[in-house]
Each structure stands twice: as C-alpha cells, then as structure tokens.
Amino acid sequence: MERTLVLLKPDAVQRRLVGRIIARFEDAGLDIPRIETVTATAEQVRSHYPDDEEYLRSMGEKTVRAYAEAGKDCSAAFGTNDPVGIAQRIREQLVEYLTSGPMIKMLLCGPEAVTTVRRLIGATLPADADPDSIRGAFSNDSPIIAGQEGRAVMNLVHASGTPEEAESEIALWFPGL
Ligand code: UDP
Ligand code: MG
C-alpha cells in the first residue's frame, strides 16, 4: 500500500465542493485513514512548496507554456520570462492562496496511491485537465488572469507528485504518521 497527501485548498472549502471531491477518492477505492481541517501558516506553505530550483523550474514552465500558447509575454505580469523567477513569484502567491481560509488535509492510501490520485485530480492548469478529473470538472481558472491579478491559479486540490514528495508532505502535515 502506498500513501499520499491531499489538501483541499481554500477555494474547495469556500465553494462547498469538499463532499463531492472526497466522494471521487472513495469511489476510486482509496482509504482515508486521516482527515482534518487545517488553517495553514505561511511557514507551512513555504515548507510545502520547496524553494528548490528544479521544482520551481517545472512549476514556472507551466505558466511560460500557457502564456506562449496564448501569444502573450510573461514579463508584464511577472517582471521576467525566466521560469524559475516566475515560479518564485507564484510560490509567494501560493502562501496567500493557501492561508486565505481553512483547508482539509487528508492522508490517502491504496495501491499506487500517488499516481491514482494525480490521475483523479487532473493536470495543474484547469484548461489542461481532463474534463472528467476533479480539476477539469470543477475549476476553470486561467494562468493569464491569475498572473494579471497577481495570484496563484486556483485549482481546488493539491496531491503529492511522487512517493518521495508524499512522504515529506505527510511528515509536514501529519507529523509522526
Ligand atoms: N501554479 C500556478 N501557476 C503555474 C503553476 C502552478 O499558479 O503556472 C500553482 C497552482 O495552484 C498549483 C501550485 O502552484 O497547484 C503548485 O504547482 P505544481 O507545479 O506543483 O502543480 P501541482 O502539483 O499542484 O499540479
Ligand atoms: Mg506539485
């Protein structure tokens, strides 16, 4: 059995989507041995999204690609076209986003739970997410509008990207488990 960490972000709680999102994980046969409400601190969010160049590059490239596909330049919204610099800005916007209200933190378990849950939530940017996925079905935020408004893309849910990420995130959100 593999473990993974899911956060239902403040927009999921505010939009009363918690029950429907949890139902999707239960329908897929995942166990939820721990689930709690949490209001995150800025420090927790900064630990959750590491200040690591490789991670930041992969995150910033999502915005670079979306802007390029829309024929737009990132520098107006982010002051740079460098994916790492863009992601540093987004990382601070994520602090605002994830501390803006209560979240639900959950430990999920099952065979290949990390991959299964990532498939259920869909791609990071709602427009890229499979329409049957949680993000594709329930969110439609755009990185262009988010960039203009100086905030992170609101996409309802976080799930660990790899088993290693899962273990460090579980240690952060459920210390001792
Ligand atoms: N994000 C964003 N713009 C981007 C990429 C990411 O605002 O171009 C936000 C979004 O809320 C995302 C979070 O940053 O969920 C973390 O990004 P990551 O690349 O780790 O995506 P995830 O693992 O959440 O799919
Ligand atoms: Mg991630």
Side-chain angles (χ1 to χ4, degrees):
M1 285 294 170
E2 193 170 73
R3 314 196 297 171
T4 191
L5 187 280
V6 164
L7 299 174
L8 306 187
K9 295 176 178 179
D11 51 327
V13 176
Q14 276 154 20
R15 291 180 53 202
R16 273 70 171 168
L17 290 170
V18 169
R20 281 194 278 173
I21 294 172
I22 293 172
R24 293 206 170 200
F25 297 131
E26 291 185 325
D27 287 349
L30 290 145
D31 288 327
I32 308 176
R34 287 291 297 268
I35 177 164
E36 262 174 54
T37 300
V38 62
T39 301
T41 64
E43 192 179 311
Q44 280 174 314
V45 179
R46 290 196 185 95
S47 305
H48 178 77
Y49 292 115
D51 189 9
D52 168 77
E53 182 165 334
E54 193 186 333
Y55 169 66
L56 292 173
R57 185 175 306 282
S58 77
M59 194 235 277
E61 273 167 357
K62 296 174 185 175
T63 276
V64 170
R65 201 175 317 121
Y67 273 67
E69 280 166 13
K72 294 193 186 297
D73 183 7
C74 293
S75 54
F78 294 95
T80 176
N81 286 301
D82 168 41
V84 176
I86 290 167
Q88 279 164 341
R89 184 76 69 90
I90 293 171
R91 185 165 171 266
E92 281 311 302
Q93 295 168 346
L94 284 164
V95 173
E96 290 282 308
Y97 175 23
L98 267 65
T99 60
S100 67
M103 299 196 288
I104 310 294
K105 59 177 182 177
M106 313 162 57
L107 181 66
L108 273 68
C109 296
E112 296 182 61
V114 170
T115 312
T116 302
V117 170
R118 289 293 291 203
R119 193 163 31 78
L120 289 170
I121 72 168
T124 302
L125 302 180
D128 297 334
D130 185 300
D132 292 332
S133 68
I134 293 165
R135 285 165 166 173
F138 298 122
S139 66
N140 67 354
D141 197 17
S142 141
I144 315 289
I145 294 167
Q148 279 166 0
E149 295 182 352
R151 57 173 181 76
V153 172
M154 292 192 282
N155 55 4
L156 300 170
V157 46
H158 165 84
S160 313
T162 64
E164 298 71 43
E165 206 174 272
E167 288 309 312
S168 73
E169 292 175 358
I170 291 164
L172 173 67
W173 295 102
F174 290 106
L177 272 195

